[in-house]
Amino acid sequence: TTSGLLSFTFFHLGQRPNILRKAQAEVDRVTEGQPITLAHIAKLTYVDAVLKESLRLYPTAPAFGRATKDGKGFDLPNGYRLDDGEVVLVSLFHLHRDPKVWAEPEVFKPERFLDGEYEKLPPNCYKPFGTGERACIGRAFAIQEAMLVTAMILQRFDIELSDPSLPLQIKQTLTIKPDGVHMRSCELFSQRLASESLQRGYIPSVVTLDSIGFQRLPKDQPVIVITASYEGQPCDNAKLFITDLEAAKPGDATGVSYAVLGCGHKDWARTYQRIPSLVDKLLSDAGATRLAPLGKADAAGDFFGDFEAWEDTLWAPLTSYYGGDPAADKVGSAGEAGTSDLQVEVVSETRFIGGESGYRTGVVVSNTRLTADELKLGGLEKRHVELRLPDGMTYRSGDYLAIMPTNPASEVQRVLRRFGIAPEATLLLRPAAAGAYSHLPSNAPVAASTLLANYVEVGEYCSRRTLVELAATATDSAQAAALRSLAEDPTYATEVVAKRLTLLDILEQHATHPLPLARFLALLPAMRMRQYSISSSPLWNPAAVTLTFDVLDAPALSAAAAAPAGDGSSSTSSRRRKVGVASTFLARCAPGDRVACAVRASPAAFHLPADPAVPVVMVAAGSGVAPFRGFVQERAAMAAAGRKVGRALLYYGCRGREEFAHGPELQR
């Protein structure tokens, strides 16, 4: 429970630098840089409040039970009856977030426990360690231990989230805790190994153990298992595999060639590497052939170094497996790096089949057009898409779904034409500096069309700095002057920003400019995720979301300016249209298509009241009805289940009834 409390606490501190700085300042003031002693602990009132607030939002023992003991039963408020022998569970998640007691209950606010504020609250509203005779007997020790560890860390370290966009996911057994650090490490190592394999000419696939199953382990290609233990048990996506493996008999895995890497932390001595060691032994017992010794990556030591050392032992036996010479095993090179900080080389004109994307993917269930094919008032097409979420991904009404789109095929074709590259071409990108251009797929072959569709923002308007660089490398003084004028005010604001003039538009306008493909890619920003308001409620379906959105498709303001003079393409350019990257991507998705996605929490205030009886007034700006459909759907589900719900009033504006998305549904 204490480790769970500390994990939640540092997650909140990493999200809130202002609170982190206050806590660090208190530790520095109290200790004056000296080693922390018991005498210091009682003076750390703000750190104590931080821990208490963490326990309020995420009590690691999230419930306690109550039952009658006199054999007579008990009448609860609101007409409920607890008969003899029945047990009622008190959910601390709800008790600690009761809006009638706690102001802004979803907000992390340590000040609730300072300056007498907590003493003003009703009794029994805060029970993180249970209550009565069965309350946690180790409470005092747990708090003292947590205070000591927190203060020591704050005294010596800054706290920073490695990925601030990563949502907090919770795993519950007997207690609750943040989920999956070693599972994410396994995914990371799997992706790194797959990337290395591609460079060596292999075509890997990355799957979960449960998705392939023990009985379907391939015998015509090697199997590399990267796994971890979770308190001595298999990860959620490996439980079925381990169960079947434990029941395997000698000979069941004959013909399978394998290697195993385990991820763990040696401080958990009792369960350290239990599952990886078990997989390695049982596969061998079942007749499989071990390609390399069991690898053990220790998060308490050189975690990534352990992985790399194990990886080095893997390539020679893999080369032998495919009949090659292990002594000659090394990564091939398609060319030497030059003076440019990024090189691009056309490797082949045939399509390259790579590994799977590292993104978590949802699956499109349905894609429906809500508006007519022709809109009399000239509005935009509206669509409604249902997505099945990846396993373990949850959401609340009012949250966002971040989508990683692809560039429209028409924009990709424009780039390919500009640089004279066939769509089937395979490229190899090699940054001069390790770690540079981390958003691009470096040092591994990638299809030109895949690179341009997935990794860069082709449709982003050109930056002023890029225009200055283009002017400096222009072919003649007239071209340089024209580009410099675009970079100056007010022209930049009116002709580039307002008209969304892209780097590609400018290169088409100045067809003789010598900008090479490598520099073009280096100047483009990375493809970014787009956030859409979720238009459904988890009470409708906790494993799926719906999105309601406009599809941007309108004449491009930049078309005329981008038309190259005298090349015969003016008419085509003048007909060019501006299409939304993400909305077009979603609009073209068909049932069964996979979409990279992630749930993003909306601000705490943008959710329904915790008490469903509280009336709500909702105002949709323009046609932004999406989140409010989710709120209405949630209240409707509560009412259908017999709960008392307050009245809900929705104001929704649109240009005409033809754009009244979800109209009949909302009216029901």
Side-chain angles (χ1 to χ4, degrees):
T1 54
T2 305
S3 64
L5 164 60
L6 292 171
S7 298
F8 285 123
T9 297
F10 286 111
F11 173 81
H12 286 299
L13 291 176
Q15 281 194 321
R16 297 162 178 84
N18 59 323
I19 296 177
L20 172 63
R21 296 292 173 254
K22 288 182 182 179
Q24 288 176 319
E26 181 182 68
V27 172
D28 292 343
R29 186 185 69 254
V30 170
T31 65
E32 297 181 339
Q34 299 301 311
I36 296 172
T37 66
L38 186 61
H40 293 137
I41 297 299
K43 300 176 183 179
L44 299 175
T45 55
Y46 192 76
V47 174
D48 179 63
V50 167
L51 291 168
K52 286 178 177 176
E53 178 68 348
S54 184
L55 279 170
R56 182 187 70 82
L57 284 172
Y58 294 100
T60 51
F64 61 84
R66 281 291 177 267
T68 59
K69 60 181 181 180
D70 58 5
K72 297 179 181 180
F74 185 76
D75 289 319
L76 296 169
N78 302 322
Y80 291 99
R81 169 88 181 163
L82 186 64
D83 291 324
D84 183 39
E86 291 182 327
V87 177
V88 61
L89 284 178
V90 178
S91 169
L92 297 185
F93 260 76
H94 295 83
L95 178 66
H96 289 180
R97 299 173 189 232
D98 186 347
K100 296 177 181 178
V101 175
W102 309 93
E104 298 181 292
E106 302 295 335
V107 178
F108 188 82
K109 189 185 296 184
E111 288 75 13
R112 303 178 198 276
F113 296 92
L114 296 173
D115 302 325
E117 291 298 315
Y118 173 66
E119 286 72 18
K120 298 176 184 177
L121 297 176
N124 301 316
C125 66
Y126 181 69
K127 294 288 182 179
F129 292 93
T131 189
E133 296 177 355
R134 298 297 182 185
C136 176
I137 61 174
R139 171 180 179 172
F141 174 76
I143 287 293
Q144 188 177 86
E145 181 183 37
M147 285 280 289
L148 181 62
V149 172
T150 302
M152 291 174 65
I153 291 175
L154 293 177
Q155 189 183 49
R156 293 169 171 82
F157 300 98
D158 267 333
I159 308 299
E160 180 179 329
L161 297 181
S162 61
D163 183 359
S165 66
L166 195 66
L168 176 64
Q169 297 186 9
I170 296 174
K171 184 175 183 67
Q172 180 167 352
T173 50
L174 181 62
T175 61
I176 64 169
K177 63 206 75 178
D179 185 26
V181 61
H182 291 316
M183 288 201 297
R184 293 194 187 101
S185 299
C186 293
E187 288 180 293
L188 171 64
F189 288 152
S190 297
Q191 292 158 15
R192 283 189 56 177
L193 185 62
S195 178
E196 287 280 338
S197 299
L198 287 170
Q199 295 181 56
R200 294 171 181 268
Y202 302 113
I203 302 177
S205 60
V206 181
V207 297
T208 65
L209 287 174
D210 279 353
S211 68
I212 189 171
F214 169 69
Q215 302 296 339
R216 298 191 302 277
L217 285 178
K219 299 183 179 181
D220 59 346
Q221 62 188 77
V223 176
I224 312 301
V225 178
I226 302 179
T227 189
S229 299
Y230 193 88
E231 295 183 349
Q233 301 301 314
C235 301
D236 286 343
N237 58 9
K239 290 181 177 179
L240 295 177
F241 179 90
I242 298 300
T243 299
D244 291 344
L245 180 59
E246 289 178 323
K249 300 175 182 177
D252 284 353
T254 299
V256 174
S257 299
Y258 76 97
V260 178
L261 172 70
C263 300
H265 195 298
K266 69 178 181 182
D267 287 356
W268 300 92
R270 187 176 61 85
T271 59
Y272 178 59
Q273 300 288 350
R274 178 184 177 274
I275 295 301
S277 299
L278 182 68
V279 171
D280 183 66
K281 178 181 183 301
L282 292 182
L283 281 173
S284 178
D285 292 347
T289 301
R290 185 183 289 112
L291 293 173
L294 170 66
K296 296 181 179 181
D298 178 17
D302 185 3
F303 199 38
F304 293 94
D306 292 341
F307 164 75
E308 292 169 353
W310 170 81
E311 185 186 33
D312 289 342
T313 69
L314 189 60
W315 300 120
L318 284 178
T319 302
S320 297
Y321 178 91
Y322 285 107
D325 180 6
D329 177 71
K330 59 182 180 180
V331 179
S333 175
E336 296 301 324
T339 58
S340 172
D341 62 353
L342 177 69
Q343 289 192 346
V344 176
E345 179 179 350
V346 178
V347 178
S348 71
E349 291 288 326
T350 58
R351 186 175 300 278
F352 182 85
I353 301 174
E356 296 183 1
S357 167
Y359 291 113
R360 298 192 68 194
T361 54
V363 179
V364 176
V365 177
S366 63
N367 190 340
T368 306
R369 180 168 181 151
L370 299 177
T371 50
D373 291 343
E374 291 188 13
L375 298 174
K376 298 177 181 178
L377 299 177
L380 297 174
E381 172 189 349
K382 290 177 172 56
R383 300 196 74 89
H384 184 70
V385 171
E386 179 183 339
L387 280 162
R388 186 171 70 248
L389 293 173
D391 291 343
M393 190 175 289
T394 60
Y395 73 102
R396 298 173 62 194
S397 299
D399 284 348
Y400 303 101
L401 190 72
I403 296 293
M404 182 64 79
T406 61
N407 285 308
S410 58
E411 297 301 290
V412 172
Q413 288 298 323
R414 287 178 63 199
V415 179
L416 294 174
R417 283 197 301 269
R418 170 63 176 79
F419 292 99
I421 298 175
E424 298 81 12
T426 299
L427 308 179
L428 182 64
L429 281 65
R430 294 182 296 174
Y437 305 104
S438 59
H439 63 286
L440 296 176
S442 304
N443 301 313
V446 60
S449 55
T450 298
L451 172 67
L452 294 168
N454 296 321
Y455 293 97
V456 290
E457 293 278 0
V458 175
E460 190 72 18
Y461 68 84
C462 190
S463 72
R464 196 189 303 263
R465 179 181 296 176
T466 296
L467 285 168
V468 172
E469 179 177 329
L470 291 177
T473 55
T475 53
D476 55 58
S477 58
Q479 187 179 78
L483 290 167
R484 278 195 299 270
S485 69
L486 279 178
E488 297 171 353
D489 289 328
T491 307
Y492 182 74
T494 58
E495 297 299 317
V496 179
V497 178
K499 294 183 178 180
R500 315 300 293 180
L501 199 64
T502 68
L503 174 57
L504 181 59
D505 292 333
I506 292 169
L507 290 177
E508 288 179 337
Q509 184 179 12
H510 300 277
T512 60
H513 195 283
L515 186 75
L517 174 62
R519 192 59 191 155
F520 175 80
L521 292 173
L523 290 172
L524 292 178
M527 177 63 77
R528 66 182 187 277
M529 296 188 104
R530 270 71 165 177
Q531 289 193 165
Y532 286 87
S533 292
I534 294 173
S535 62
S536 61
S537 163
L539 296 186
W540 159 74
N541 187 346
V545 299
T546 62
L547 304 177
T548 303
F549 57 94
D550 291 337
V551 182
L552 176 59
D553 184 356
L557 296 175
S558 62
D567 70 347
S569 62
S570 299
S571 59
T572 301
S573 179
S574 65
R575 295 195 301 270
R576 186 172 300 143
R577 302 185 67 80
K578 171 65 176 177
V579 294
V581 175
S583 61
T584 301
F585 166 74
L586 286 172
R588 293 176 179 173
C589 285
D593 285 352
R594 302 179 71 81
V595 177
C597 62
V599 171
R600 297 286 184 259
S602 61
F606 195 65
H607 291 100
L608 286 171
D611 183 354
V614 175
V616 292
V617 177
M618 299 170 284
V619 181
S623 58
V625 74
F628 302 104
R629 177 185 183 269
F631 294 147
V632 172
Q633 188 179 59
E634 181 144 323
R635 282 288 177 94
M638 290 179 176
R643 298 189 67 181
K644 181 181 178 181
V645 298
R647 294 189 63 188
L649 182 62
L650 170 63
Y651 290 94
Y652 167 50
C654 54
R655 284 170 287 260
R657 189 162 292 278
E658 65 179 9
E659 291 186 336
F660 190 19
H662 298 299
E665 180 186 42
L666 290 171
Q667 289 170 342
R668 290 199 304 271

